[in-house]
Amino acid sequence: MSESYKVAILGATGAVGTELLELLESRDFPVSELKLLASPRSAGRTMPFKGENLPVEVLDENSFQGVDIVLASAGGSTSKAWASKAVAAGAVVIDNSSAFRMDASVPLVIPEVNPEAASTHRGIIANPNCTTILMAVAVWPLHQVQPVQRLVAATYQSASGAGARAMEEVKQQATAILQGETPKAEIFPYPLAFNLFPHNSKLTELGYCEEEMKMVNETRKIFGDSQIRITATCVRVPVLRAHSEAINLEFKQPFPVEQAREILSQAPGVKLVEDWQANYFPMPFEASGRDEVLVGRIRQDISHTCGLELWLSGDQIRKGAALNAVQIAELLVSKNQVRPTAAVTS
């Protein structure tokens, strides 16, 4: 016997919601019934799932009745307004927004890093920020062998981080520029096609933007180590999908490059991509649509005897968002930590 679960996707028509739908099908998640929830502007739409066209429902007070798992990806304000209602109805909410990440009572989970944290939930589990997830999957295996003392990150973030409309905007901007026209910017503050700029999230009093502080604070919470010194510079680049990051790690003792390479070649959720003769390393083009975080160009930091450098690319929509959420749901199911709606014979 195995259990099946009534699942709701909140924000089903967005880039992450669409990916959640595909992953539930491709990974054969035990779904007894699937509800697709979105705003009124999506009313009347249908989306394919296992040979059927499911209707998109408008979110309302009755949306979570009988639901076991809510995969939420509709923005922080929506999660703050509706997550507690879903929990009150008996569901576990796996939330992809920033609404609950730094709430001390809400676990912030990456299954390859801190799966045990999921069992402490009180109805809500937070999905970390995309850049944090990609970085942590690569850094955690090394941190387990020798704790990281300082981490310096520079991100190269694609349009996908701002959703499907942002990706379309970059395409339109590129077309306009190539035709000699002035590109229009609506989703981003400036044209991104053939351009780049520091991440457009709100600046804090420290001079860091919110995206950079997410990497700092979330990593400390996930690693369970408030003493790690972390700094980040986040940049939007004219790439449609998948983020890349340059990571510098400082340890107490030297960390042999070959040891780091061997550890990462066997790490869960990581694929080592290195061909030094061909100067071939992780690229967002090849990371798009893949589950693994591509890691390579691992080398000694020539400015510090205890430093390592590495480069990574990972699909922001997939492992940076939707896949991580589905993996959390799979983790809960494997631990029997979700109330099932029905039992089915396997």
Side-chain angles (χ1 to χ4, degrees):
M1 299 289 289
S2 64
E3 309 291 355
S4 62
Y5 303 84
K6 186 172 181 179
V7 179
I9 299 177
L10 177 55
T13 58
V16 176
T18 302
E19 199 77 12
L20 285 167
L21 189 66
E22 189 278 324
L23 285 165
L24 290 174
E25 180 168 349
S26 65
R27 294 173 73 88
D28 199 24
F29 190 85
V31 177
S32 62
E33 183 180 343
L34 183 60
K35 297 189 71 173
L36 306 181
L37 305 174
S39 65
R41 69 171 177 264
S42 296
R45 285 187 57 179
T46 62
M47 300 180 74
F49 182 71
K50 293 189 173 181
E52 298 183 47
N53 288 317
L54 302 182
V56 177
E57 303 176 25
V58 176
L59 179 64
D60 62 31
E61 295 289 340
N62 300 313
S63 292
F64 304 112
Q65 289 183 0
V67 171
D68 301 308
I69 301 170
V70 176
L71 301 173
S73 188
S77 59
T78 301
S79 290
K80 288 178 180 178
W82 292 94
S84 61
K85 293 181 171 70
V87 173
V92 175
V93 177
I94 302 171
D95 183 53
N96 195 58
S97 79
S98 60
F100 306 104
R101 289 175 186 158
M102 298 314 298
D103 186 324
S105 67
V106 176
L108 186 62
V109 178
I110 302 174
E112 293 91 343
V113 178
N114 63 334
E116 67 288 343
S119 63
T120 68
H121 78 83
R122 301 178 186 176
I124 300 174
I125 299 174
N127 219 25
N129 192 47
C130 52
T131 50
T132 304
I133 292 175
L134 302 178
M135 180 177 70
V137 168
V139 173
W140 178 252
L142 304 175
H143 183 71
Q144 289 292 92
V145 174
Q146 189 178 161
V148 175
Q149 294 193 324
R150 184 168 186 258
L151 187 158
V152 180
T155 72
Y156 304 75
Q157 296 180 225
S158 65
S160 65
R165 291 174 60 208
M167 296 168 70
E168 185 60 31
E169 179 172 279
V170 173
K171 293 179 184 178
Q172 294 173 358
Q173 290 171 350
T175 299
I177 292 170
L178 291 173
Q179 293 177 345
E181 301 171 359
T182 301
K184 296 180 180 179
E186 297 178 354
I187 307 302
F188 291 119
Y190 316 105
L192 185 58
F194 304 106
N195 192 28
L196 57 82
F197 45 81
H199 196 278
N200 49 294
S201 57
K202 183 180 178 181
L203 289 171
T204 69
E205 293 180 355
L206 295 173
Y208 285 70
C209 69
E210 290 180 344
E211 185 82 356
E212 292 158 350
M213 293 310 300
K214 288 174 185 178
M215 297 187 76
V216 174
N217 297 324
E218 292 178 17
T219 303
R220 288 172 174 167
K221 180 176 179 178
I222 295 163
F223 282 20
D225 187 347
S226 62
Q227 301 304 309
I228 302 178
R229 291 173 291 155
I230 303 172
T231 185
T233 299
C234 295
V235 179
R236 286 284 188 202
V237 296
V239 172
L240 282 182
R241 179 164 173 160
H243 294 349
S244 298
E245 302 180 24
I247 307 295
N248 178 278
L249 302 172
E250 181 182 322
F251 303 91
K252 186 176 182 179
Q253 302 292 333
F255 204 126
V257 171
E258 286 305 319
Q259 182 186 12
R261 187 170 288 121
E262 177 64 22
I263 290 167
L264 289 172
S265 70
Q266 301 179 46
V270 170
K271 179 175 177 56
L272 188 65
V273 177
E274 288 191 324
D275 185 337
W276 291 85
Q277 293 299 316
N279 199 10
Y280 171 74
F281 303 106
M283 293 179 282
F285 182 79
E286 295 189 345
S288 296
R290 297 191 62 154
D291 291 347
E292 312 98 327
V293 177
L294 309 184
V295 181
R297 208 163 179 237
I298 304 164
R299 61 200 187 279
Q300 171 70 47
D301 178 353
I302 59 173
S303 73
H304 198 297
T305 57
C306 299
L308 281 181
E309 301 270 8
L310 61 85
W311 170 258
L312 65 84
S313 293
D315 191 321
Q316 175 276 332
I317 301 175
R318 207 165 179 94
K319 180 54 185 172
L323 176 60
N324 200 74
V326 173
Q327 287 176 311
I328 293 171
E330 292 171 341
L331 183 62
L332 294 177
V333 167
S334 71
K335 301 292 185 181
N336 295 315
Q337 293 173 340
V338 181
R339 171 184 56 80
T341 55
V344 295
T345 302
S346 58

